[in-house]
Amino acid sequence: AQSVAQPEDQVNVAEGNPLTVKCTYSVSGNPYLFWYVQYPNRGLQFLLKYITGDNLVKGSYGFEAEFNKSQTSFHLKKPSALVSDSALYFCAVRHSKAAGNKLTFGGGTRVLVKP
Amino acid sequence: DSGVTQTPKHLITATGQRVTLRCSPRSGDLSVYWYQQSLDQGLQFLIQYYNGEERAKGNILERFSAQQFPDLHSELNLSSLELGDSALYFCASRDLYTDTQYFGPGTRLTVL
């Protein structure tokens, strides 16, 4: 079964410091991994995805993620965090076509960037 | 703005009632997915439709049903509502070419 885990409920970081949000995955076959962000009272916004190719994926708003097959991880990173990056972040894995290409999400990590 | 629209934004109703949530996918997208976000269960997949046909089902209760119409909009019907059905319900549509799901703003359901 496809699953992802986000080991941290909350990450606190000072503005200007690097931000990392962790995600590990467990899949059968090739992983199709996604990151979404949810701002208060808003829907989920797509940030980036890994399907194949380069292990470093660049996405929206200066975010990037590193796919690591040996560690089964797909951590989200931003070199310099902004206060406006404070939000709830979700890692997700896509299931097969037979399962409707549905997404299974991790539990979410709340990021708080302090000025 | 993802291009996926959902109405209404908020719904407040009583236990035992029935409500209908509506979703319009992005222009050109044929797939619609429904997800439920609650404090205790997190984000869960409910059901998927592709071009009017049900394609996949998740942990959707029997009291819940959905359909996708010829114009591709979808409706999620929730009946015999219970307090525990209070949640944020999201609709997403999938871009076939980029293999990415784009989410609507959600409908917040409160059952009193």
Side-chain angles (χ1 to χ4, degrees), chain A residues 32 34 36 38 41-46 49 51 88 90 94 97-107, chain B residues 1-2 33 35 37 43-45 48 55-58 88 90 94 98-106 108:
Chain A
Y32 288 65
F34 298 78
Y36 286 86
Q38 184 178 23
N41 301 315
R42 302 277 295 276
L44 279 77
Q45 294 181 31
F46 168 72
K49 66 177 184 276
I51 293 180
L88 189 54
F90 290 96
R94 198 209 77 183
K97 184 178 178 181
N101 297 302
K102 67 182 182 184
L103 296 176
T104 290
F105 289 87
Chain B
D1 183 4
S2 67
Y33 296 76
Y35 293 86
Q37 185 180 28
L43 256 170
Q44 284 200 107
F45 166 73
Q48 182 225 352
R55 285 295 180 91
K57 235 173 181 178
L88 198 48
F90 287 111
R94 178 169 166 261
T98 64
D99 197 6
T100 300
Q101 289 185 30
Y102 294 94
F103 284 74
R108 183 171 294 281

Side-chain angles (χ1 to χ4, degrees), chain B:
Chain B
D1 183 4
S2 67
V4 179
T5 60
Q6 288 187 250
T7 56
K9 283 189 176 179
H10 303 277
L11 258 181
I12 301 175
T13 188
T15 54
Q17 295 298 305
R18 172 189 168 95
V19 296
T20 297
L21 282 53
R22 183 187 169 106
C23 165
S24 292
R26 296 180 340 143
S27 176
D29 289 349
L30 301 178
S31 279
V32 168
Y33 296 76
W34 286 97
Y35 293 86
Q36 179 195 58
Q37 185 180 28
S38 61
L39 284 175
D40 52 347
Q41 301 282 349
L43 256 170
Q44 284 200 107
F45 166 73
L46 294 178
I47 197 164
Q48 182 225 352
Y49 279 81
Y50 178 83
N51 203 20
E53 292 187 6
E54 181 186 307
R55 285 295 180 91
K57 235 173 181 178
N59 295 327
I60 186 167
L61 299 171
E62 284 193 14
R63 301 183 285 108
F64 295 4
S65 65
Q67 57 186 112
Q68 187 179 26
F69 295 86
D71 67 351
L72 300 177
H73 91 271
S74 177
E75 292 181 357
L76 180 66
N77 300 297
L78 316 177
S79 61
S80 303
L81 285 167
E82 302 175 0
L83 296 178
D85 297 328
S86 295
L88 198 48
Y89 291 83
F90 287 111
C91 165
S93 71
R94 178 169 166 261
D95 184 316
L96 195 63
Y97 300 103
T98 64
D99 197 6
T100 300
Q101 289 185 30
Y102 294 94
F103 284 74
T107 293
R108 183 171 294 281
L109 173 66
T110 303
V111 182
L112 302 175

Side-chain angles (χ1 to χ4, degrees), chain A residues 78-91:
Chain A
K78 187 171 185 181
S80 177
L82 300 172
V83 172
S84 57
D85 293 328
S86 298
L88 189 54
Y89 290 80
F90 290 96
C91 180

Side-chain angles (χ1 to χ4, degrees), chain A residues 19-21 35 47-48 55-67 74-79:
Chain A
L19 169 63
T20 298
V21 187
W35 276 103
L47 281 178
L48 51 79
N55 290 340
L56 187 63
V57 180
K58 293 193 182 295
S60 307
Y61 313 120
F63 283 94
E64 57 189 28
E66 187 172 6
F67 173 75
F74 187 55
H75 300 332
L76 181 70
K77 299 181 180 185
K78 187 171 185 181

